[in-house]
Amino acid sequence: AWEPSSLFEVGFQLSFAATWGILYLGPPLGELFRRWALPRWLSVPLQVTLAAQAGTLPLLVYYFNLFTPVAPLANLLLVPLVGAIMLAGFTGCLAGIVLLPLGEMVNAVTGLLIDLFLGLAGLLVTLPGSSLYLASPPPHVIPLWYAGLIFWMEIARGSINLPLPEAPRKAAAAVCGVILCAVVLVPWGGTGGKLQVHFVDVGQGDCILVRFPGGRTMLVDAGGKLGDPEGGLKVGEAVVVPYLRRLGINKLDVLVVTHPHGDHYGGVPAVLEKVRVGALVLSAAADYSAMLSRLAPLDIPVYRAAAGQALRLSDQVDVFVLAPVRQTIDNLNNASLVLRLDYRDVSFLLTGDIEREAQRELLSNGTALRAEVLKVPHHGSELSEPRFFAAVSPELAVVQVGYNNRFGHPSAATLDALRAAGARVLRTDRDGAVLVVTDGKEIEVSTARRHSRGAQAAGCVLNTPAGGINIPSAR
């Protein structure tokens, strides 16, 4: 009542949900464990940790996309150690006041206990299935979980009497529990049999997530910062990895790095550290030695790709490599991998940072460029060929660009050329992340932000239609 805004703080919600779980769910769980004749030293900590986890589960999945089946075991092993560490640390403080060498001896024991704690924690994390990242459920799932949990608990207590014999009543309660868990743990972030292309807002850089109808995934670039490896790493940690987690993505089938510029590969190390990646695909015309030297310990298969090849990731979506055409290209931007995705009647053209020279080369080679959705080359710089945009003739053009960037991207001339080609232009600096979903016939587009009388209104890429537009595909 004194500070009502606390209700919207994650820490407040988790603290009270855990306390409620321990107080409300704990006693019935304790009674159940006593019926099973579990010893008290095991039943009490198990009762507390399971009750707290049940109380916080939907909030943890919604806010952090994290489900940790290993938590009960971890608490059983580690919580007693915490008590021992605190006692030893306090004893060391008192002993040090009386006699410093005595305090040092006690603190040496404390250090061993801390090492044991960290070692056990590290071991538990490596267990298969110890933690899973799940897509965030819709907000209405949270109250449904608590309502269902209370209903299920009251049935177990006997406060709600189902008109059933004992055995069917227990079976019904078990089924209710399974359904309740499924409500939160179900893979909400699926593709629904459609192709999803996410143009992630990473500032002045590129990052595109492709989710295929069959569930496989491809990440094209991972953002970063030119000339700033540490800044690029932070983009991967703070933007790209959380974006993948939010969708419940625990692995990527392939990570494509179009060319070795920091604003495209700076976030790659963070992604590879946090997410399992099946393979790396690199441009055959560029030197990635600096990047690969950092990634060598990860032992991930690396493939070089060039024009004329295809990435076989889906039996429904064709992924063709259109460039680089030549094996040696001095300009790294022009050495970018260019990918074309064809899904039935809808095509996407992902162009990396190719400039005027490479665009003209694609035109002169007679490459099939027509696409409904174009990732505008080189952040919309002025180094673009208007004839290239005319040949692509996109209905939607997405510019991945940082707000108020020092390069002056996107160029006014490039934007004019895109509009002249008939494209509707979306920009990540103004519209935020852009999500394009298609069934191969129609295209749905939604954005994280929209403009309202010159202002930007925040939204959610997946859950708001505020910036949505429906574009019929070209036949």
Side-chain angles (χ1 to χ4, degrees), residues 27-38:
L29 285 174
E31 180 62 30
L32 178 64
F33 293 150
R34 280 190 288 275
R35 290 181 193 170
W36 291 353
L38 291 182

Side-chain angles (χ1 to χ4, degrees), residues 51-76:
Q53 188 168 25
T56 57
L57 178 61
L59 298 174
L60 289 171
V61 174
Y62 182 77
Y63 289 116
F64 304 105
N65 308 105
L66 186 62
F67 173 54
T68 51
V70 77
L73 175 61
N75 284 340
L76 287 176

Side-chain angles (χ1 to χ4, degrees), residues 143-161:
L144 282 177
W145 165 267
Y146 289 112
L149 196 61
I150 292 170
F151 180 72
W152 180 75
M153 185 56 63
E154 293 306 314
I155 291 177
R157 282 178 164 176
S159 302
I160 298 177
N161 294 315

Side-chain angles (χ1 to χ4, degrees), residues 383-405:
L383 302 175
S384 294
E385 173 60 57
R387 291 188 300 118
F388 179 79
F389 298 143
V392 178
S393 188
E395 297 180 21
L396 175 68
V398 181
V399 185
Q400 293 203 282
V401 63
Y403 177 73
N404 199 25
N405 65 86

